[in-house]
Amino acid sequence: MSEDVIISVEHVCKSVSDSTGTLEILRDIDFALKARETAAIVGASGSGKSTLLSIIAGLDTPTTGTVHLAGTDLFAMDEDARAGLRASKVGFVFQSFQLLGNLTALENVMLPLELASRRDARQAATDMLARVGLWQRLSSYPKVLSGGEQQRVALARAFVVHPAVLLADEPTGSLDFATGEKIMELMFDLNREQGTTLVLVTHDRAIAQRCDRRITIEAGRVV
């Protein structure tokens, strides 16, 4: 594997079985992404995009095949080891924001830093929230923030650990067009600033066109 490859998806298949038979979700997915590269995973609903993203993150396991993340075989590790690798290397942004409602914006962003025992967690989180334009909202809880503000908090939480890889699943799916445009501009700016590798699941063709690569999934295959 080339030294500058940070994600290598190797012949990944995913199927699930029930009383009606076997459903093939992903079929022999194979590609590699280099450090700092941006890639959009596109395809119709039900094509397997989000399943693929979960497997890249090590949150779901393939039926066959494997994923190397930062040179490490994810599925040669146990769940605890995968969780540790995610904590140190991967940031996440979801359509539904996934903020903790009982924590303030500042506390949500501090959380991954505190889990990593960072002594500067409060200052680093404050600085990152200022970077995304929320320095006046540090003590606000998610329920009083707009959708766009919640996604800015989610971006701050993802980028505050300076991840090697950012995985984003329909990050503008719950936002209106204008707000979504601003969020994507901010995400790409932060990505460039930190030199992160971005893998983005999206239905939005305009967003996909902004990425270096477009990986199209149809019926579980890359086309």
Side-chain angles (χ1 to χ4, degrees), residues 5-210:
V5 170
I6 193 160
I7 297 170
S8 178
V9 179
E10 300 166 16
H11 303 291
V12 162
C13 298
K14 177 69 175 182
S15 59
V16 293
S17 299
D18 61 18
S19 59
T20 62
T22 299
L23 174 64
E24 291 188 78
I25 300 171
L26 296 173
R27 309 178 188 200
D28 198 31
I29 305 294
D30 198 79
F31 64 87
L33 297 174
K34 295 180 179 180
R36 297 175 177 264
E37 200 166 10
T38 58
I41 300 174
V42 297
S45 295
S47 58
K49 303 185 304 298
S50 293
T51 299
L52 176 57
L53 199 71
S54 292
I55 289 173
I56 292 171
L59 293 168
D60 195 359
T61 56
T63 305
T64 59
T66 196
V67 174
H68 281 82
L69 180 64
T72 301
D73 184 342
L74 283 180
F75 302 107
M77 311 167 79
D78 62 24
E79 287 190 22
D80 288 344
R82 285 200 295 272
L85 185 66
R86 278 194 297 273
S88 63
K89 299 287 187 183
V90 183
F92 294 93
V93 179
F94 302 96
Q95 177 178 338
S96 55
F97 318 131
Q98 300 283 12
L99 302 178
L100 296 177
N102 61 328
L103 300 182
T104 65
L106 180 60
E107 291 165 344
N108 265 284
V109 179
M110 286 174 61
L111 187 59
L113 299 171
E114 291 178 324
L115 291 173
S117 302
R118 284 268 299 271
R119 292 184 178 181
D120 64 338
R122 180 171 292 273
Q123 187 59 55
T126 300
D127 292 346
M128 184 54 73
L129 281 166
R131 171 63 187 85
V132 301
L134 292 179
W135 64 272
Q136 292 179 310
R137 299 295 244 160
L138 302 182
S139 59
S140 298
Y141 288 91
K143 66 181 180 182
V144 300
L145 299 175
S146 69
E149 287 172 332
Q150 289 186 64
Q151 198 60 300
R152 285 173 184 268
V153 175
L155 284 175
R157 182 181 59 188
F159 279 106
V160 75
V161 297
H162 289 261
V165 173
L166 181 74
L167 303 178
D169 194 356
E170 297 285 3
T172 62
S174 297
L175 305 173
D176 64 74
F177 177 79
T179 303
E181 286 280 290
K182 292 176 182 176
I183 289 296
M184 290 312 303
E185 197 67 44
L186 181 59
M187 178 183 286
F188 280 109
D189 285 349
L190 290 167
N191 200 68
R192 280 191 295 271
E193 288 170 19
Q194 294 195 7
T196 309
T197 301
L198 172 64
V199 184
L200 169 72
V201 166
T202 183
H203 282 99
D204 190 318
R205 188 172 298 178
I207 292 173
Q209 291 292 337
R210 296 184 62 174

